Amino acid sequence: MQKRIGMIWTVVLLLHLTCKADEGMWIPLLLKKYNIEEMQRQGFRLTAEDVYDINRASLKDAVIGLGREGRPFFHFCTAELISREGLLITNHHCAYSLIQAHSTLTDNYLEHGFWAYDRADELENPGITASILVRIEDVTPQIAGALTAGMDEAERTKTVADISRKLEEEAVKGTDLQANVKPYFNGNQYFMSVFRIYRDVRLVGAPPSAIGKFGGDTDNWSWPRHTGDFAFLRIYAGQDNEPAPYSPENVPYRPATHFKIATQGAKEGDFTFVFGYPATTREYLTSFAIEQLVEVENPHRTAIRTAKLNIINQAMNSDPLLRLKYSAKAAGVANTWKKWQGETKGLLRFGTVEQKRRLEARFRTWATGRTPYDSVVDRYRAVYQKRKELVLADAYAQEAGLGGAEIVSFARSLTGRLAEITENDLLPEAIRQTIRTFFKDYDVATDRKILEEMLKLYNLQLPDEWKPEAVAEAGKNSGYHLYTEQFFHQSVFADSTRLLACLDRWKGTALQEKLKKDPAYLLAASVADFRLLRINPPLQEIERQLRELDRVWLTGLMEMQPEKRFYADANSTLRVAYGKIGGYSPADGIFYKPFTTLSGILEKENPAIYDYQVPQKLKELYRSKDFGPYAQDGEVPVCFIASNHTTGGNSGSPVLNADGHLIGVNFDRAWDGVMSDLQYEPSICRNISVDIRYILFIVDKLAGAGHLIREMELIE
Ligand code: ARG
Ligand code: GLU
């Protein structure tokens, strides 16, 4: 027995030592210090300065963080420049809501695709921003210098915020740049990113959903995959090439550099790296946190969304108009829903809780007699114990309450905005627009069913003390069905004509009084107040304690393992991940190859299943073997997997070869390794990319958009 355990440990250790290289999302500024030698040993042919340099053009100048006005430092996706004229490539799913917003049943770009054959046809997307990183600076010394040992957590947070703001202001004074300081390593270090943020980003091209979303939510988060998940955008700038709000006078942005296209693609075993904006990982959580995630947060949030999705999917399958209205919303709900399930599965399979417990036991021994480390594990346990019922209550407040039926959040946000309008004001056009946009994609019957289900679940799953009053009331008398019917009958937010008539008739306080008696507003307010008064105060106190514990814990881990190379959790800042193209074994007896091909699309084809429909034109190209120069050994490669450590936000990231040329666009991770946000397992964690050869093939042969290819710089 002894011997066997010893053997297992040797194997585990070896795996860690040999494969560790694929794990991590690295700060471009520090590549030279921590990574470049290893990258070059693995085949990389460029220097650290080729990737990141502030004195001359480097690859970082071609990586774009896509954001939204008002929240530009949160990058919902990545994109990359691939021409001298501001052409961007990203994922179809990143541009999905833009494509959807431009679509109607007659011009259904979501279904048929969209291609601007003329610059004048490229479509404006209000509110979308494109950030280009100018530089990153380590500002840890400035921040640490202002912190003292005796500071409590609240004081510390305030000091950090104050200094960050000052540093940000100083960094961009007299320029039109924008700066943002963020914590790294649980607040042990701070870096400032300085950006130039463009505000005129247009839609240039997108394949039909049967290509761009082929496999849909059925294949989402899984491999083998055949999704042509790409779309083209373009950055426009003022005449001076600087950021400017949308204007027909704007001209295509002329970048410092752009990615060249590796038309030969890549092959198994090749070195690859991914350069983009991963949003959130939590690799240094304790066993207590993982346990809570697996037992409370993930299963409850998943169950609420299952109920929602059952209703939405039924509606979408019943009517093409409902499909169009709900497709973007459903994709969002389903995406995280599925990810939670894969994550839980992986964490259980790899015994993450057990592994973390072993680490904590080791830490405890090491920490004996070393304050403040000696008490950390016990304090963690106590805090998570208190956190449990709060995160459960909050999951329902968020997912079933405010984020349940759409009418609830709509009533709340609209009433809030209307409060600023006095008796004498006309209804602002912006509010009219919000109302039009909301109802364009709204279906009362579907939302009513969702509300009924949400209220049912909320009441069923939570103890009374965690139910907001309006939720508890809802099921008491006539039952949920009748209750929701009356609710929708009464609510002015359920019908745009009634709503607009009401807004034209009433103003100011009279209007507020009226709206605040509306059942949708009352439900929203009840849940929101409950969060504000009952959930948030204790939860925020717990989060404060966790912030401190997380910081001390990670400092301790670093002291305990001085030989280990730590990387900072993803925080929506620019990172480099590297690995190589290769398959994996999801289960005994199965091995997944790293590439899929066009033949696989035809194998999956099933006209009876929406997700597996194949456009006629693609079938014709396949049959006539009209592959142009894009095939290899008689097959067009479609997607590939590699061991780059990526996460949400990395969607659309450039996947590059050893020379820094584009071989694909990242868009997903494979099911068995989705827990990599919490624990990376080199044997099975894989990122999924769409092969650049498939992209070129579709653009050229299916869309006839050769003008886009001629803009690119192709490397044979
Ligand atoms: N799973 C990918 C990501 O996290 C793709 C999501 C979009 N696709 C979808 N079928 N919902 O963003
Ligand atoms: N599809 C994800 C995104 O939108 C990337 C997949 C992942 O989470 O790795 O960023």
Side-chain angles (χ1 to χ4, degrees):
M1 196 60 197
Q2 268 296 328
K3 200 163 157 211
R4 243 184 85 203
I5 291 177
M7 259 174 61
I8 291 172
W9 269 109
T10 318
V11 172
V12 170
L13 265 177
L14 273 177
L15 264 178
H16 268 267
L17 290 180
T18 51
C19 301
K20 215 168 69 188
D22 299 332
E23 176 170 3
M25 303 167 168
W26 306 94
I27 302 170
L29 173 71
L30 304 179
L31 281 191
K32 196 175 173 97
K33 189 161 163 196
Y34 294 116
N35 311 96
I36 195 66
E37 283 174 18
E38 181 183 72
M39 290 169 78
Q40 288 169 344
R41 237 181 292 127
Q42 292 178 12
F44 191 44
R45 283 191 285 266
L46 303 180
T47 64
E49 291 79 9
D50 292 330
V51 178
Y52 176 91
D53 196 331
I54 55 169
N55 298 316
R56 61 182 179 98
S58 57
L59 296 183
K60 73 137 174 66
D61 298 318
V63 184
I64 304 295
L66 292 177
R68 293 201 167 84
E69 205 87 55
R71 227 191 146 192
F73 303 121
F74 176 78
H75 303 112
F76 63 88
C77 274
T78 307
E80 53 274 14
L81 286 154
I82 50 167
S83 91
R84 288 191 178 81
E85 294 177 280
L87 186 64
L88 290 182
I89 190 164
T90 185
N91 291 144
H92 184 263
H93 82 260
C94 295
Y96 199 67
S97 59
L98 314 182
I99 307 168
Q100 195 257 359
H102 292 296
S103 295
T104 59
L105 275 184
T106 37
D107 281 318
N108 196 337
Y109 302 138
L110 219 44
E111 181 162 341
H112 304 297
F114 169 80
W115 300 98
Y117 293 95
D118 189 301
R119 295 270 161 91
D121 296 332
E122 298 180 351
L123 299 171
E124 173 195 359
N125 301 291
I128 297 296
T129 59
S131 303
I132 303 176
L133 181 75
V134 177
R135 62 177 191 273
I136 317 172
E137 272 172 53
D138 185 353
V139 292
T140 313
Q142 290 93 311
I143 292 190
L147 300 174
T148 58
M151 269 183 181
D152 69 19
E153 207 47 33
E155 236 179 305
R156 185 188 163 103
T157 306
K158 186 172 178 310
T159 309
V160 170
D162 290 347
I163 300 178
S164 298
R165 204 164 323 115
K166 221 177 87 209
L167 290 169
E168 288 164 0
E169 280 167 16
E170 280 166 10
V172 301
K173 201 180 295 156
T175 72
D176 60 356
L177 305 178
Q178 296 188 46
N180 182 233
V181 173
K182 280 204 167 130
Y184 290 64
F185 295 105
N186 292 351
N188 282 301
Q189 295 182 29
Y190 290 86
F191 289 82
M192 176 164 63
S193 296
V194 179
F195 296 102
R196 182 171 277 115
I197 303 183
Y198 286 85
R199 290 143 67 198
D200 183 352
V201 182
R202 302 188 197 168
L203 180 65
V204 173
S209 286
I211 288 172
K213 206 188 171 190
F214 180 77
D217 286 310
T218 314
D219 281 7
N220 193 17
W221 299 111
S222 66
W223 183 257
R225 190 69 157 277
H226 300 84
T227 312
D229 199 345
F230 69 90
F232 296 97
L233 306 170
R234 191 186 305 278
I235 302 180
Y236 279 76
Q239 302 289 338
D240 55 359
N241 210 30
E242 292 294 317
Y246 171 85
S247 155
E249 314 294 292
N250 285 349
V251 294
Y253 168 64
R254 296 178 305 281
T257 188
H258 59 269
F259 288 107
K260 296 175 182 141
I261 311 292
T263 51
Q264 296 304 315
K267 57 180 191 322
E268 179 161 8
D270 280 0
F271 172 88
T272 64
F273 71 111
V274 174
F275 204 2
Y277 284 92
T280 316
T281 60
R282 294 175 292 168
E283 308 286 344
Y284 306 106
L285 286 182
T286 57
S287 64
F288 311 106
I290 303 283
E291 213 170 6
Q292 208 154 84
L293 193 74
V294 166
E295 285 172 11
V296 184
E297 294 160 79
N298 281 358
H300 280 277
R301 285 180 184 261
T302 302
I304 300 170
R305 288 200 179 194
T306 304
K308 229 181 277 181
L309 282 167
N310 285 343
I311 297 165
I312 296 179
N313 287 334
Q314 200 189 12
M316 282 175 49
N317 287 329
S318 74
D319 177 354
L321 181 61
L322 290 184
R323 175 171 296 283
L324 183 58
K325 286 181 175 206
Y326 277 83
S327 47
K329 297 182 215 176
V333 176
N335 190 41
T336 323
W337 165 80
K338 198 163 176 188
K339 180 182 135 171
W340 287 328
Q341 297 172 65
E343 184 173 272
T344 298
K345 201 166 166 246
L347 292 171
L348 292 174
R349 174 172 169 195
F350 283 91
T352 306
V353 171
E354 287 309 315
Q355 291 193 34
K356 299 266 182 185
R357 279 197 189 131
R358 279 197 293 273
L359 180 66
E360 285 149 24
R362 221 179 111 200
F363 185 85
R364 203 193 263 285
T365 311
W366 171 82
T368 310
R370 299 180 205 238
T371 332
Y373 305 125
D374 50 356
S375 61
V376 167
V377 176
D378 289 325
R379 285 171 62 205
Y380 260 131
R381 175 181 295 114
V383 174
Y384 275 103
Q385 189 57 38
K386 279 190 274 174
R387 183 175 180 268
K388 191 167 170 176
E389 57 176 357
L390 290 163
V391 289
L392 181 66
D394 205 35
Y396 280 85
Q398 284 180 26
E399 288 281 333
L402 296 168
E406 284 176 86
I407 194 170
V408 177
S409 49
F410 179 59
R412 182 169 146 81
S413 66
L414 197 64
T415 307
R417 282 175 67 187
L418 290 165
E420 288 155 27
I421 297 157
T422 66
E423 338 272 327
N424 310 322
D425 293 336
L426 282 175
L427 187 62
E429 180 49 32
I431 292 189
R432 271 183 208 281
Q433 187 54 43
T434 303
I435 295 173
R436 274 197 294 270
T437 312
F438 177 78
F439 283 102
K440 171 177 183 279
D441 294 333
Y442 186 67
D443 179 57
V444 188
T446 304
D447 207 37
R448 194 207 58 73
K449 287 185 200 152
I450 293 178
L451 182 65
E452 182 179 337
E453 254 343 279
M454 294 297 107
L455 291 170
K456 234 187 247 176
L457 269 181
Y458 211 138
N459 278 304
L460 191 70
Q461 294 293 340
L462 288 193
D464 286 343
E465 62 173 307
W466 292 113
K467 293 175 192 166
E469 207 180 321
V471 172
E473 279 305 310
K476 276 196 178 146
N477 304 316
S478 42
Y480 297 105
H481 190 76
L482 209 58
Y483 172 86
T484 51
E485 275 192 342
Q486 282 167 356
F487 182 108
F488 274 82
H489 185 70
Q490 282 168 17
S491 177
V492 68
F493 295 100
D495 179 331
S496 67
T497 318
R498 253 174 82 197
L499 179 60
L500 286 168
C502 170
L503 299 186
D504 284 333
R505 173 130 179 252
W506 306 88
K507 294 262 149 30
T509 38
L511 176 66
Q512 285 291 313
E513 266 172 39
K514 217 172 150 45
L515 294 182
K516 288 189 170 167
K517 288 195 201 106
D518 190 280
Y521 178 83
L522 286 173
L523 179 58
S526 173
V527 180
D529 288 348
F530 192 85
R531 272 192 93 199
L532 202 68
L533 299 172
R534 294 284 315 280
I535 302 177
N536 286 353
L539 197 54
Q540 280 163 1
E541 173 53 30
I542 284 174
E543 274 156 14
R544 246 195 310 280
Q545 291 173 18
L546 285 178
R547 257 201 311 279
E548 187 209 331
L549 281 172
D550 289 344
R551 192 171 61 242
V552 177
W553 163 243
L554 189 50
T555 322
L557 280 181
M558 288 169 150
E559 275 181 37
M560 179 176 92
Q561 303 160 284
E563 74 295 344
K564 186 174 158 158
R565 186 179 50 164
F566 284 80
Y567 58 93
D569 269 323
N571 58 357
S572 206
T573 61
L574 189 59
R575 301 294 179 92
V576 171
Y578 48 96
K580 60 174 188 287
I581 298 182
Y584 74 99
S585 169
D588 187 32
I590 309 177
F591 189 81
Y592 284 150
K593 293 199 285 185
F595 281 90
T596 57
T597 64
L598 190 53
S599 303
I601 296 183
L602 278 299
E603 274 173 27
K604 273 185 181 166
E605 186 193 14
N606 184 343
I609 300 176
Y610 181 85
D611 288 342
Y612 292 134
Q613 288 169 11
V614 180
Q616 191 55 35
K617 178 110 188 254
L618 188 59
K619 285 194 266 190
E620 282 159 21
L621 290 169
Y622 179 73
R623 273 193 221 109
S624 60
K625 295 215 175 302
D626 187 4
F627 300 155
Y630 311 112
Q632 181 173 335
D633 308 325
E635 290 276 11
V636 181
V638 173
C639 294
F640 63 86
I641 47 176
S643 56
N644 300 291
H645 190 178
T646 56
T647 187
N650 265 131
S651 272
S653 298
V655 184
L656 306 155
N657 66 14
D659 296 311
H661 299 154
L662 195 69
I663 54 173
V665 181
N666 182 72
F667 71 96
D668 210 0
R669 276 174 290 159
W671 185 245
D672 307 278
V674 166
M675 81 294 181
S676 65
D677 291 351
L678 306 157
Q679 187 193 347
Y680 185 90
E681 271 295 331
S683 59
I684 53 160
C685 289
R686 295 291 178 273
N687 68 307
I688 307 180
S689 310
V690 50
D691 197 295
I692 195 69
R693 291 166 289 188
Y694 185 56
I695 297 175
L696 296 173
F697 167 72
I698 296 293
V699 172
D700 180 357
K701 297 287 178 176
L702 189 117
H707 62 289
L708 294 180
I709 298 184
R710 282 189 292 280
E711 258 193 84
M712 303 174 197
E713 198 174 331
L714 306 179
I715 305 288
E716 296 295 329

